[in-house]
Amino acid sequence: MFNKVISGTVLGIDGALINVEADLSDGLPMLTMIGYLSSSVKEAGERVRTALKNSGYYIPPKRITINLSPADIRKDGSGFDLPIAIAIVLTIGIIPDMDIAKTIIVGELGLNGEVKSVNGVLPIVYHAFENGISTCIVPRDNAVEAALVDGMRVIAVESLSETIDYIQGNIIIEPLDRDKINVESDKIEKKYDFSEIKGQAMLKRGMEIAASGFHNVLMTGAAGAGKSMISKRLPTIMPKLSFEESIEVTKIYSVSGMLDKKSRLITDRPFRSPHHTISNHALTGGGSIPRPGEVTLAHNGVLFLDELPEFNKNVLEVLRQPLEDKKITISRVNATYSFPADFMLIAAMNPCPCGYFPDRNKCSCTPFQIRRYQQKISGPLLDRIDINMEIKPVKYEEIFASSEEENSETIRARVEKTRQLQRKRYIEDNISFNSQLEGKLIKKYIRLDDKVNDYFKERLKKLELSARGIDRILKLSRTIADMSDSEGISKEHINEAIFYRNSGIFGYKEGR
């Protein structure tokens, strides 16, 4: 006797449908599993056998063969336990043949028959819905996550016996009502706010430009100047994620096992701040079956690298490809995995090893030490930075000033307005921000009139810029123009873009 159940697995951050086929035949009593399985899936046989026994179901002493197809996809994880158990009980006749062709089943089994949560339910269910499957049976702890897929009928189960009774029709389990649950993340009181930052008008302006156009930033300044402080507050002024962006981010965190039992749609932009001892694989993702790294966890959000020169040089160089391509590709013998990595890089560093240069009353570093420290950041990586700012320490009178500083909500309103201009402009080009303009799109959307173009050329004669550097100034100018609600780019916009591109210690030759 033969039966089939539909389940799923995760490839990168996307789902894939897997057919769980079961066959019962005469022969030595044994359970054989085939289909390019990882060790965690091979162990499912014993978990399923014991869970069925402890749930009160008798398995006849016959040969049972389980095949997970297609055979060219490597199967990993414990989510196949429940579909394997259901396929077996269908095959041995405990459950009469039922029409479950439009149902996907995912879940791990405990030895007592308890159905446990698994990682990656959202991308699996999302992919299943796109392929015409209308019902999913998932662990109760994953039910809210599955309900993020609008239109999917979600059946939440807690045990193997409950699942079997539901499929038999012995009990009724009401589908999760999406209208009665809050699919968005609960509103959390903001821990940080821009109003807490005293002074630093240039820095605040630079960060508002960065948030408006999703531009990369490098801040250089003495210890205690406020680099980390403002970076942690940057997400509070960034535009909210669109629904499509939220789904993509939530899928990443689902695959990574970073959604809790009360999983909700992630609506705040991610902020990731890895330590400078991080390895290449932890940053970019990896493993025998690759999982997302920090660059992917920061997708559609901020990757903050504090003390930039302290990172291993090889780690910094691997950032070059995702900064340019907005994705990271990891190749293995059995498959190639692609992870999204469209993040805003915010980096901070001291001007010297001790952190006090150019204050020679405090700085004891030699010119050689300062040069060697700064040279840890390569030219190609610097070329991918849009805004390069040198941060001065805050003056005492600014720290103790009684004047009110702008709060995050006020700044965010301006950023949202600029973001809406960009979304409307690029609605047909599948991009959201000026920083994402590439190739022909730059020529299409960034046009300078003759006077501004001549002026820009004159300024470029005094700068040593690569073609990429010129494009980044143009994109930065477009953002500054959008912030002033200007259709055209003026000389003032060009000048401000060059200033923010050129004002840090790694600025180009102009004025140096």
Side-chain angles (χ1 to χ4, degrees):
M1 187 179 293
F2 168 85
N3 261 290
K4 181 177 76 171
V5 170
I6 299 174
S7 187
T9 189
V10 174
L11 299 178
I13 67 160
D14 295 315
L17 296 182
I18 301 295
N19 293 315
V20 179
E21 302 171 338
D23 181 76
L24 182 70
S25 59
D26 294 331
L28 291 174
M30 62 187 303
L31 177 62
T32 304
M33 295 183 60
I34 55 176
Y36 198 8
L37 315 177
S38 68
S39 57
S40 62
V41 181
K42 291 176 182 177
E43 293 168 355
E46 287 304 313
R47 286 196 298 271
V48 169
R49 188 199 302 271
T50 307
L52 284 168
K53 176 180 72 69
N54 290 332
S55 298
Y57 299 102
Y58 171 74
I59 301 178
K62 292 195 174 187
R63 183 184 181 92
I64 300 173
T65 303
I66 303 294
N67 177 45
L68 274 62
S69 68
D72 60 340
I73 296 178
R74 183 171 175 80
K75 290 80 178 180
D76 183 49
S78 55
F80 296 108
D81 293 5
L82 184 58
I84 289 172
I86 297 302
I88 289 174
V89 297
L90 283 169
T91 301
I92 63 181
I94 293 176
I95 301 177
D97 285 342
M98 307 288 290
D99 183 15
I100 54 174
K102 296 294 183 180
T103 301
I104 186 169
I105 304 175
V106 180
E108 177 184 344
L109 288 175
L111 296 183
N112 61 350
E114 176 190 4
V115 178
K116 300 180 179 181
S117 63
V118 296
N119 296 337
V121 164
L122 176 58
I124 292 171
V125 173
Y126 192 84
H127 179 76
F129 184 74
E130 288 181 327
N131 283 270
I133 292 176
S134 55
T135 303
C136 67
I137 298 176
V138 297
R140 184 164 296 279
D141 287 343
N142 292 121
V144 175
E145 181 182 346
L148 296 176
V149 182
D150 192 12
M152 177 63 80
R153 187 168 176 267
V154 180
I155 304 297
V157 294
E158 294 182 340
S159 67
L160 174 58
S161 56
E162 181 185 27
T163 308
I164 293 173
D165 285 341
Y166 168 76
I167 294 175
Q168 281 183 305
N170 295 335
I171 62 172
I172 296 174
I173 301 177
E174 291 296 330
L176 205 64
D177 189 343
R178 194 175 189 271
D179 294 332
K180 293 182 179 180
I181 62 172
N182 178 22
V183 297
E184 293 193 1
S185 58
D186 297 327
K187 188 175 181 180
I188 301 174
E189 185 178 350
K190 296 298 181 184
K191 186 178 179 181
Y192 303 114
D193 195 276
F194 255 59
S195 61
E196 299 163 343
I197 303 169
K198 297 292 186 179
Q200 300 290 19
M202 184 195 80
L203 178 57
K204 291 179 181 177
R205 170 69 176 176
M207 283 301 193
E208 185 177 342
I209 294 171
S212 298
F214 218 67
H215 298 285
N216 301 323
V217 178
L218 172 61
M219 296 174 287
T220 310
K227 304 184 296 295
S228 299
M229 182 178 184
I230 198 167
S231 298
K232 292 176 181 177
R233 286 154 180 77
L234 180 61
T236 66
I237 68 167
M238 294 178 69
K240 287 283 189 180
L241 292 168
S242 67
F243 180 76
E244 293 75 16
E245 290 173 327
S246 292
I247 286 289
E248 196 168 22
V249 171
T250 308
K251 283 167 64 177
I252 292 168
Y253 280 75
S254 172
V255 170
S256 303
M258 298 174 69
L259 292 178
D260 59 23
K261 293 180 180 179
K262 295 181 180 180
S263 305
R264 298 287 190 270
L265 189 67
I266 296 174
T267 55
D268 290 328
R269 293 193 179 272
F271 180 85
R272 303 295 300 178
S273 180
H275 193 261
H276 59 75
T277 57
I278 192 171
S279 67
N280 288 19
H281 294 308
L283 186 68
T284 61
S288 56
I289 297 179
R291 289 290 182 263
E294 290 291 336
V295 296
T296 300
L297 293 172
H299 179 64
N300 286 329
V302 175
L303 178 65
F304 176 51
L305 302 184
D306 199 7
E307 306 296 345
L308 188 66
E310 301 300 331
F311 284 78
N312 185 291
K313 190 167 185 177
N314 291 334
V315 171
L316 294 180
E317 292 309 302
V318 301
L319 284 173
R320 288 159 55 178
Q321 186 233 343
L323 280 172
E324 201 66 24
D325 298 340
K326 310 302 182 184
K327 64 180 180 179
I328 191 81
T329 302
I330 301 173
S331 296
R332 293 291 182 265
V333 173
N334 57 301
T336 298
Y337 301 83
S338 183
F339 295 99
D342 189 1
F343 56 89
M344 185 196 302
L345 175 64
I346 305 296
M349 61 176 285
N350 296 327
C352 67
C354 76
Y356 292 108
F357 181 80
D359 186 349
R360 280 305 184 181
N361 294 323
K362 295 181 179 180
C363 178
S364 58
C365 301
T366 66
F368 173 74
Q369 288 175 320
I370 295 172
R371 185 167 60 254
R372 184 175 63 178
Y373 182 77
Q374 295 179 359
Q375 286 177 346
K376 290 182 179 180
I377 316 302
S378 70
L381 180 59
L382 288 171
D383 212 23
R384 289 164 169 82
I385 303 293
D386 300 331
I387 296 175
N388 182 9
M389 293 184 287
E390 187 171 5
I391 312 305
K392 303 294 183 183
V394 184
K395 297 177 181 179
Y396 289 114
E397 52 267 29
E398 291 179 323
I399 294 175
F400 296 105
S402 59
S403 59
E404 289 285 332
E405 301 286 346
E406 273 193 315
N407 60 31
S408 294
E409 187 177 348
T410 302
I411 302 172
R412 177 179 240 167
R414 294 198 298 264
V415 171
E416 288 277 10
K417 182 180 178 182
T418 307
R419 195 255 202 262
Q420 291 303 323
L421 285 175
Q422 295 169 77
R423 173 182 281 184
K424 184 178 179 180
R425 180 188 299 136
Y426 306 130
I427 193 169
E428 297 179 357
D429 298 295
N430 199 31
I431 60 174
S432 301
F433 295 100
N434 292 324
S435 62
Q436 297 170 325
L437 290 170
E438 298 292 342
K440 294 180 180 179
L441 292 180
I442 293 177
K443 294 181 179 180
K444 179 180 178 181
Y445 292 111
I446 303 179
R447 295 178 179 177
L448 307 179
D449 63 35
D450 292 340
K451 289 184 179 180
V452 176
N453 192 44
D454 291 341
Y455 177 77
F456 187 40
K457 288 179 180 178
E458 285 298 317
R459 293 298 306 270
L460 290 179
K461 290 178 182 178
K462 300 176 183 179
L463 303 172
E464 289 187 356
L465 294 174
S466 66
R468 182 188 290 117
I470 294 171
D471 284 348
R472 290 187 179 276
I473 286 180
L474 288 172
K475 289 187 278 188
L476 203 56
S477 301
R478 180 66 269 170
T479 298
I480 295 169
D482 288 341
M483 291 172 67
S484 60
D485 203 16
S486 172
E487 286 196 20
I489 297 175
S490 69
K491 294 179 182 179
E492 289 73 20
H493 302 145
I494 292 288
N495 283 335
E496 188 173 8
I498 291 175
F499 170 78
Y500 277 108
R501 173 79 181 177
N502 195 39
S503 63
I505 63 170
F506 292 110
Y508 296 90
K509 279 194 172 182
E510 182 180 61
R512 297 186 180 274

